[in-house]
């Protein structure tokens, strides 16, 4: 049964009533939990299908498609971490409690940065192609040259992503001791 939640929310800073808090939790569960997880799962499947097509078809094996596949892989890692977060926070899978702060959070932030840096690498590769197409054609034919160029674009993006997000790998938690909270550093590297 669908219930009508037409509750007035006071945004002046006062506390929410129990009915308002219950309505907010239900809205949060449906939008942040169910809908975003559904879209993340659809994105994960679609990205995986695209990666499969780009890497298996013979006529699709070129520098652009390999770089595009690496961006999609980074996006898949990010989507997977978002799904794990939703299962832990929204669907209350408490068995994920031990991997969320130590594995999922750092990988989430690093994969997002890697996706951004790989997109910049992809844009740079396209710029080189349009800037000097004859030189680009000369470099793109040998197979060994292609694999070296792929590493030339992917490896710095991954290294910069890790270095750029290394600060977020250090987590700050609070420990309650006799009613007072003290921050504690946990190094995850």
């Amino acid at each position: 049964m669908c219930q009508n939640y037409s509750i007035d929310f006071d945004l002046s800073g006062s506390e929410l009533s129990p009915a308002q808090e219950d309505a907010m939790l239900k809205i949060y569960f449906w939008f942040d939990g169910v809908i975003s997880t559904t879209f993340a799962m659809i994105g994960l499947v679609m990205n995986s299908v695209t990666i499969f097509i780009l890497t298996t078809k013979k006529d699709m094996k070129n520098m652009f498609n390999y770089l595009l596949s690496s961006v999609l892989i980074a996006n898949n890692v990010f989507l997977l971490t978002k799904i794990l977060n939703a299962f832990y926070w929204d669907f209350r899978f408490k068995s994920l409690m031990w991997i969320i702060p130590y594995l999922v959070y750092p990988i989430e932030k690093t994969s997002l940065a890697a996706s951004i840096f790989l997109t910049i690498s992809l844009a740079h590769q396209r710029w080189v192609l349009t800037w000097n197409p004859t030189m680009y054609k000369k470099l793109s034919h040998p197979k060994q040259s292609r694999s070296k160029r792929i590493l030339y674009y992917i490896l710095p993006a991954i290294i910069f992503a890790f270095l750029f997000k290394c600060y977020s790998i250090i987590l700050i938690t609070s420990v309650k001791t006799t009613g007072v909270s003290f921050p504690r550093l946990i190094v995850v590297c």
Side-chain angles (χ1 to χ4, degrees), residues 105-117:
Y105 286 157
I107 290 175
E108 175 186 347
K109 295 179 183 325
T110 306
S111 65
L112 181 61
S115 176
I116 293 167
F117 289 136

Side-chain angles (χ1 to χ4, degrees), residues 14 35 39 49 64 67 86 92 98 104 108 122 124 128 136 138 144 152 158 160 164 166 181 184:
S14 62
I35 293 174
F39 278 115
V49 168
F64 175 76
L67 285 174
R92 307 285 187 235
W98 298 106
V104 173
E108 175 186 347
L122 186 64
H124 178 266
V128 168
Y136 182 81
K138 240 188 271 184
Q144 186 179 17
Y152 171 77
I158 302 292
F160 283 136
F164 186 69
C166 193
S181 295
R184 177 179 60 154

Side-chain angles (χ1 to χ4, degrees), residues 63-64 66-68 70-71 113-129 136 149-161:
M63 183 71 177
F64 175 76
Y66 284 130
L67 285 174
L68 187 60
S70 66
V71 172
S115 176
I116 293 167
F117 289 136
L118 286 168
T119 303
I120 293 170
S121 295
L122 186 64
H124 178 266
Q125 187 264 343
R126 292 282 96 183
W127 176 78
V128 168
L129 172 67
Y136 182 81
R149 283 188 341 189
I150 289 170
L151 283 178
Y152 171 77
Y153 284 108
I154 293 175
L155 205 56
I158 302 292
I159 290 170
F160 283 136

Side-chain angles (χ1 to χ4, degrees), residues 71-166:
V71 172
L72 292 173
I73 289 169
N75 287 341
N76 271 356
V77 171
F78 178 75
L79 288 174
L80 186 63
T81 59
K82 293 309 267 181
I83 291 169
L84 288 174
N85 270 331
F87 276 114
Y88 177 71
W89 291 106
D90 299 324
F91 302 119
R92 307 285 187 235
F93 277 75
K94 296 302 179 188
S95 60
L96 298 171
M97 178 173 60
W98 298 106
I99 67 165
I100 292 289
Y102 301 109
L103 190 64
V104 173
Y105 286 157
I107 290 175
E108 175 186 347
K109 295 179 183 325
T110 306
S111 65
L112 181 61
S115 176
I116 293 167
F117 289 136
L118 286 168
T119 303
I120 293 170
S121 295
L122 186 64
H124 178 266
Q125 187 264 343
R126 292 282 96 183
W127 176 78
V128 168
L129 172 67
T130 57
W131 178 64
N132 196 349
T134 55
M135 182 187 76
Y136 182 81
K137 278 287 189 193
K138 240 188 271 184
L139 290 173
S140 65
H141 282 295
K143 270 193 168 185
Q144 186 179 17
S145 170
R146 186 184 316 157
S147 62
K148 282 182 181 177
R149 283 188 341 189
I150 289 170
L151 283 178
Y152 171 77
Y153 284 108
I154 293 175
L155 205 56
I158 302 292
I159 290 170
F160 283 136
F162 182 75
L163 292 176
F164 186 69
K165 289 298 181 178
C166 193

